[in-house]
């Protein structure tokens, strides 16, 4: 079965609103997205200040092309977006693709090479007719003092300057964690008829002009790309990629792919040399085909597969999928170097 052909056909066919949600099937196996829950709240955002103080007037003219139309779906195994300008200090990069959205992320370089800090910036493009409220990576709540007693309201909107000649709006959050003040958390715009994109930015230092920073990111992002994404492993089973996520802060990186088809599976990999000391995987407690391994419910992690730690969680037959994975040494080294 030609998986690439299936994905291409999927991208051309209209998809139901909301896309494919594999979370329910794999959640029982305690699937961790990118294995990076170690440091969810970073204090490294002070590095953003210098990057957003100045915005040359000419930069505002670098508009993202609106394009005549938007795709009805995305190939999860292709890179569709690329950052132009980002605030200073956000050198770590990531990709989060589904069949109904494409996203890129940026965040601070971690102080510990074994730990991924949560991304603090995301750009998400939705397919035509897709809702992007819950699509793509989740970014933390904008800064606040945590005081107040008020109901949470995340439906506050106001018009924003046009992007690419199309309508745009600001979305704000009002909640106790923001001191009951409306705080802008997202810039959203219609990048093509019936298709929306968004910039999401986490808390920033006091005095930062959040709107200027988000507008500059939106107006400089490159869209409409179609660069194939490589994997450091090879999967022999005929499963169709439904979501691809990766994060990289060299020399560390990780990658995870959610598959559908005959069965629902999630496969993740990262270099053994940069194993997260805070990882929920934990130490080996068994072996699998002669290699150290650990089982957590239906999830199986095998350590040291030619330099990779590989984790598989399937709705059924996890061991069979693990045995179908091979790690060509040059392939993952090339992937890591790229």
């Amino acid at each position: 079965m030609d998986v690439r052909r299936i994905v291409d056909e999927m991208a051309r066919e209209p998809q139901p609103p909301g896309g494919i949600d594999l979370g329910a099937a794999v959640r029982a196996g305690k699937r961790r997205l990118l294995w990076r829950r170690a440091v969810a709240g970073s204090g490294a955002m002070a590095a953003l200040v210098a990057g957003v103080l100045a915005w040359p007037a000419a930069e505002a003219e670098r508009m993202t092309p609106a394009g005549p139309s938007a795709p009805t779906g995305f190939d999860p195994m292709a890179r569709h977006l690329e950052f132009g300008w980002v605030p200073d200090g956000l050198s770590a990069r990531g990709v989060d693709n589904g069949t109904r959205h494409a996203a890129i992320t940026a965040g601070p370089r971690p102080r510990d090479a074994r730990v991924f800090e949560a991304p603090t910036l995301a750009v998400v493009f939705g397919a035509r007719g897709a809702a992007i409220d819950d699509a793509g990576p989740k970014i933390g709540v904008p800064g606040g003092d945590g005081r107040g007693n008020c109901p949470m309201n995340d439906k506050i909107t106001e018009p924003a300057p046009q992007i690419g000649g199309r309508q745009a709006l600001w979305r704000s959050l009002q909640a106790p964690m923001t001191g009951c003040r409306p705080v802008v958390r997202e810039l959203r715009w219609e990048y093509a008829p019936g298709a929306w994109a968004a910039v999401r930015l986490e808390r920033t230092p006091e005095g930062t002009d959040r709107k200027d920073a988000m507008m500059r990111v939106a107006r400089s992002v490159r869209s409409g790309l179609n660069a194939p994404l490589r994997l450091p492993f090879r999967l022999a089973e005929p499963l169709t990629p439904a979501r691809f996520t990766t994060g990289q802060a060299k020399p560390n990186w990780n990658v995870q792919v959610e598959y559908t088809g005959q069965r629902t599976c999630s496969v993740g990999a990262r270099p053994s040399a940069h194993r997260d000391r805070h990882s929920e995987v934990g130490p080996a407690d068994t072996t699998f085909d002669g290699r150290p391994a650990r089982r957590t419910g239906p999830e199986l992690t095998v350590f040291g597969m030619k330099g990779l730690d590989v984790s598989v969680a399937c709705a059924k037959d996890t061991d069979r999928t693990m045995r179908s994975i091979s790690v060509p040494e040059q392939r993952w080294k090339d992937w890591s170097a790229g």
Side-chain angles (χ1 to χ4, degrees), residues 2 18 34 72 82 132 139 192 210 216 237 247 289 293:
D2 188 343
L34 297 180
T72 58
E82 185 60 77
I132 62 170
I139 300 298
R210 294 177 53 80
R216 188 173 180 183
E237 273 197 276
D289 290 349

Side-chain angles (χ1 to χ4, degrees), residues 148-177:
N149 183 17
C150 55
M152 187 172 75
N153 183 1
D154 61 353
K155 306 299 184 183
I156 304 172
T157 62
E158 61 178 307
Q162 288 188 344
I163 298 177
R166 297 193 180 275
Q167 62 176 319
L169 54 87
W170 305 107
R171 289 171 58 90
S172 299
L173 172 69
Q174 182 179 18
M177 68 278 290

Side-chain angles (χ1 to χ4, degrees), residues 230-234 248 250-253 255 269-274 305-308 326-338:
R230 296 173 294 174
L231 287 174
F233 57 83
R234 181 180 291 114
Q248 188 172 64
K250 292 183 178 180
N252 198 359
W253 53 266
V255 62
R270 69 182 306 163
S272 300
H274 298 283
M305 293 179 63
K306 295 186 179 178
L308 290 186
S326 60
V327 184
E329 184 174 357
Q330 191 59 46
R331 182 170 180 168
W332 82 256
K333 284 185 176 179
D334 291 345
W335 191 93
S336 180

Side-chain angles (χ1 to χ4, degrees), residues 163-200:
I163 298 177
R166 297 193 180 275
Q167 62 176 319
L169 54 87
W170 305 107
R171 289 171 58 90
S172 299
L173 172 69
Q174 182 179 18
M177 68 278 290
T178 68
C180 293
R181 298 177 293 105
V183 177
V184 175
R185 67 181 311 183
E186 182 180 275
L187 169 62
R188 184 174 294 192
W189 73 99
E190 189 181 31
Y191 73 92
W196 289 80
V199 172
R200 297 166 183 161

Side-chain angles (χ1 to χ4, degrees), residues 18-40:
I20 297 175
D21 181 7
L22 301 179
V26 185
R27 194 173 296 118
K30 298 182 179 180
R31 176 180 59 82
R32 294 161 306 281
L33 180 61
L34 297 180
W35 299 349
R36 66 182 179 205
R37 295 185 178 174
V39 196

Side-chain angles (χ1 to χ4, degrees), residues 37-39 112 114-115 275-281:
R37 295 185 178 174
V39 196
D112 186 331
R114 293 169 293 182
V115 179
R275 187 175 302 147
D276 187 346
R277 64 183 178 183
H278 304 289
S279 172
E280 296 176 9
V281 174

Side-chain angles (χ1 to χ4, degrees), residues 5-335:
R5 179 179 59 79
I6 294 174
V7 173
D8 290 340
E9 291 175 357
M10 180 194 307
R12 290 192 294 268
E13 289 295 322
Q15 301 291 325
I20 297 175
D21 181 7
L22 301 179
V26 185
R27 194 173 296 118
K30 298 182 179 180
R31 176 180 59 82
R32 294 161 306 281
L33 180 61
L34 297 180
W35 299 349
R36 66 182 179 205
R37 295 185 178 174
V39 196
S42 170
M45 290 306 296
L48 287 173
V49 178
V52 297
L53 292 180
W55 183 1
E59 186 74 14
E61 300 304 317
R62 295 180 56 194
M63 311 289 274
T64 303
S69 63
T72 58
F74 291 98
D75 178 355
M77 300 305 299
R79 187 180 187 90
H80 303 281
L81 307 170
E82 185 60 77
F83 283 114
W85 179 89
V86 296
D88 288 348
L90 303 187
S91 60
R93 294 289 186 268
V95 173
D96 185 327
N97 287 338
T99 59
R100 297 287 281 165
H101 80 274
I104 50 176
T105 64
R109 187 177 182 85
R111 293 179 293 274
D112 186 331
R114 293 169 293 182
V115 179
F116 275 98
E117 308 229 8
T120 55
L121 171 67
V123 177
V124 184
F125 274 57
R128 185 166 68 245
I132 62 170
D133 294 65
D134 298 317
K138 301 298 182 290
I139 300 298
V141 175
D145 54 20
R147 297 192 296 269
N149 183 17
C150 55
M152 187 172 75
N153 183 1
D154 61 353
K155 306 299 184 183
I156 304 172
T157 62
E158 61 178 307
Q162 288 188 344
I163 298 177
R166 297 193 180 275
Q167 62 176 319
L169 54 87
W170 305 107
R171 289 171 58 90
S172 299
L173 172 69
Q174 182 179 18
M177 68 278 290
T178 68
C180 293
R181 298 177 293 105
V183 177
V184 175
R185 67 181 311 183
E186 182 180 275
L187 169 62
R188 184 174 294 192
W189 73 99
E190 189 181 31
Y191 73 92
W196 289 80
V199 172
R200 297 166 183 161
L201 182 62
E202 197 187 359
R203 66 183 66 197
T204 54
E206 190 71 27
T208 297
D209 191 326
R210 294 177 53 80
K211 289 185 175 181
D212 277 359
M214 296 166 78
M215 185 65 71
R216 188 173 180 183
V217 170
R219 285 175 162 165
S220 65
V221 70
R222 295 170 55 207
S223 60
L225 309 180
N226 192 31
L229 292 167
R230 296 173 294 174
L231 287 174
F233 57 83
R234 181 180 291 114
L235 180 68
E237 273 197 276
L239 300 178
T240 302
R243 187 164 186 171
F244 173 96
T245 52
T246 186
Q248 188 172 64
K250 292 183 178 180
N252 198 359
W253 53 266
N254 52 29
V255 62
Q256 185 160 324
V257 185
E258 295 175 1
Y259 293 94
T260 188
Q262 297 176 347
R263 293 175 299 114
T264 296
C265 287
S266 177
V267 179
R270 69 182 306 163
S272 300
H274 298 283
R275 187 175 302 147
D276 187 346
R277 64 183 178 183
H278 304 289
S279 172
E280 296 176 9
V281 174
D285 60 5
T286 186
T287 61
F288 183 82
D289 290 349
R291 294 190 178 94
R294 184 174 181 86
R295 292 185 184 273
T296 306
E299 183 176 59
L300 170 64
T301 300
V302 177
F303 301 105
M305 293 179 63
K306 295 186 179 178
L308 290 186
D309 292 345
V310 178
S311 181
V312 174
C314 297
K316 60 180 181 178
D317 296 333
T318 294
D319 288 17
R320 188 177 80 186
T321 298
M322 180 66 80
R323 289 193 172 95
S324 78
I325 294 174
S326 60
V327 184
E329 184 174 357
Q330 191 59 46
R331 182 170 180 168
W332 82 256
K333 284 185 176 179
D334 291 345
W335 191 93

